[in-house]
């Protein structure tokens, strides 16, 4: 199976990074995906790399990612998504879960 690699970059005026240096959530399996988040100095930007077997959905990925980044005010984070045919609803859910996990400190939320 050939994989499609997409790259996006977003920037919020007022951005907040994640609390952990890096975080991982999810498993690449049937209809699912994994999200890796890493804190990086990107001048407030968020860089996203998506690896997916699906082609032709670049605009959908952009819309889902842009909505998530704007609503979370995320910045200075590199995100890698390894997708296995996840629907946009699952992508949104996994991103919110990954952000919550990336902001946990010492087993609890802060």
């Amino acid at each position: 199976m050939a994989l499609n690699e997409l790259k996006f970059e977003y920037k919020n005026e007022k951005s907040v990074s994640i609390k952990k240096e890096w975080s991982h959530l999810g498993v690449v399996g049937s209809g699912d995906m994994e999200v890796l988040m890493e804190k990086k100095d990107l001048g407030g930007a968020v860089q996203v790399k998506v690896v997916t077997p699906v082609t032709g959905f670049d605009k959908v990925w952009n819309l889902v990612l842009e909505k998530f980044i704007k609503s979370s005010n995320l910045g200075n984070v590199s995100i890698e998504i390894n997708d296995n045919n996840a629907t946009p609803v699952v992508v949104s859910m996994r991103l919110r879960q990954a952000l919550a996990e990336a902001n946990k400190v010492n087993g609890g939320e802060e």
Side-chain angles (χ1 to χ4, degrees):
M1 151 182 19
L3 295 176
N4 187 26
E5 186 175 299
L6 309 172
K7 292 188 178 183
F8 303 94
E9 185 167 308
Y10 306 93
K11 193 164 186 177
N12 287 311
E13 284 185 33
K14 296 180 181 179
S15 61
V16 179
S17 192
I18 57 177
K19 293 182 180 169
K20 291 182 180 178
E21 291 302 312
W22 68 273
S23 183
H24 171 265
L25 181 88
V27 177
V28 180
S30 179
D32 212 351
M33 59 183 265
E34 71 177 344
V35 179
L36 296 95
M37 290 187 173
E38 182 179 4
K39 187 187 289 191
K40 284 189 174 179
D41 183 5
L42 299 171
V46 176
Q47 294 177 342
V48 183
K49 179 174 112 176
V50 178
V51 178
T52 179
V54 182
T55 58
F57 286 87
D58 301 28
K59 288 182 183 180
V60 174
W61 275 105
N62 183 52
L63 289 171
V64 171
L65 292 167
E66 185 176 46
K67 183 178 179 179
F68 168 73
I69 303 295
K70 284 185 177 182
S71 69
S72 64
N73 291 319
L74 199 58
N76 288 320
V77 176
S78 174
I79 300 174
E80 184 173 331
I81 297 172
N82 296 307
D83 172 54
N84 191 16
N85 304 308
T87 65
V89 171
V90 171
V91 172
S92 293
M93 178 188 69
R94 285 283 180 247
L95 285 168
R96 289 191 311 274
Q97 290 173 328
L99 182 58
E101 182 65 29
N103 283 324
K104 282 184 183 176
V105 179
N106 298 327
E109 291 188 41
E110 212 173 86

